[in-house]
Amino acid sequence: MQRVDSLQLHELRRRVLRGDDPEKSVVDPRDDDDTSLHFGGFVDDRLVVSASFFPSVAPVNDTLLTYQLRYMATDFDVQGNGYGAEVLRYAENKLRALGVEQVWANGRDSALGFYARTGWSILEGSQHLSPETHLPHTVIFKVL
Ligand SMILES: CC(C)(COP(=O)(O)OP(=O)(O)OC[C@H]1O[C@@H](n2cnc3c(N)ncnc32)[C@H](O)[C@@H]1OP(=O)(O)O)[C@@H](O)C(=O)NCCC(=O)NCCS
């Protein structure tokens, strides 16, 4: 696992999270901010997992220094091999070292089992449809 530039993540974000639709945005306005952190995992030279973190207002525990996770994705053919858990573990260690106290995300309901396995909690009553993908999501968070 390593820090990467957000540009390196666009192709994986689009393919895994946006149905490979060339019309869909895979850019967060905060991508290039100095305070944003992007992580990727590689097998040989191939990017197989991505996760991006942005400083954010916390939807829960609002006194904690909090970052938002977006664009969590493992490539289709290597899902279930531990890469998702590994990139989160790596990122959380880096964030903790920077003084970050909590992370949160709009988690896809289809991925909530993954987040439960990696120590995240659900914010009760936060179920909603994503305005971007129209898929069911729930606010999740983890105190680091
Ligand atoms: C969700 C996703 C990021 C998980 O990444 P991954 O690399 O496949 O996950 P890992 O192999 O590290 O799995 C870690 C644990 O979570 C479990 N898990 C993974 N995906 C799961 C899911 N969708 N539902 C339930 N459990 C899941 C694994 O079985 C594993 O459990 P274990 O510790 O008992 O072995 C990946 O499947 C993915 O990119 N999915 C499509 C895009 C997506 O939904 N992204 C999240 C947007 S919020």
Side-chain angles (χ1 to χ4, degrees), residues 3-142:
R3 288 273 304 270
V4 296
D5 188 277
S6 66
L7 274 177
Q8 293 174 261
L9 305 180
H10 286 182
E11 193 268 343
L12 189 68
R13 287 177 177 180
R14 183 177 305 287
R15 223 157 28 72
V16 177
L17 294 164
R18 295 293 180 271
D20 211 18
D21 185 342
E23 304 290 317
K24 293 270 167 66
S25 167
V26 288
V27 176
D28 186 288
R30 301 163 291 182
D31 267 345
D32 294 332
D33 292 356
D34 289 341
T35 47
S36 300
L37 289 99
H38 306 281
F39 299 95
F42 295 81
V43 172
D44 300 324
D45 285 341
R46 174 189 159 203
L47 179 76
V48 293
V49 65
S50 77
S52 295
F53 291 85
F54 307 96
S56 169
V57 173
V60 59
N61 302 323
D62 63 5
T63 58
L64 299 182
L65 179 58
T66 299
Y67 269 53
Q68 179 184 5
L69 164 65
R70 291 200 70 198
Y71 300 119
M72 174 76 233
T74 301
D75 209 347
F76 297 108
D77 63 323
V78 291
Q79 288 177 6
N81 288 352
Y83 295 124
E86 195 181 334
V87 76
L88 286 185
R89 204 161 38 239
Y90 184 87
E92 286 165 15
N93 282 334
K94 296 287 180 203
L95 290 163
R96 219 178 272 117
L98 293 170
V100 178
E101 298 168 300
Q102 177 177 252
V103 287
W104 79 275
N106 287 307
R108 284 189 185 185
D109 284 4
S110 56
L112 290 181
F114 164 73
Y115 290 111
R117 286 291 302 152
T118 53
W120 296 61
S121 302
I122 281 175
L123 182 61
E124 292 301 333
S126 65
Q127 289 80 359
H128 61 282
L129 289 183
S130 158
E132 273 182 78
T133 60
H134 309 292
L135 295 171
H137 280 68
T138 299
V139 174
I140 52 171
F141 64 98
K142 180 176 181 179

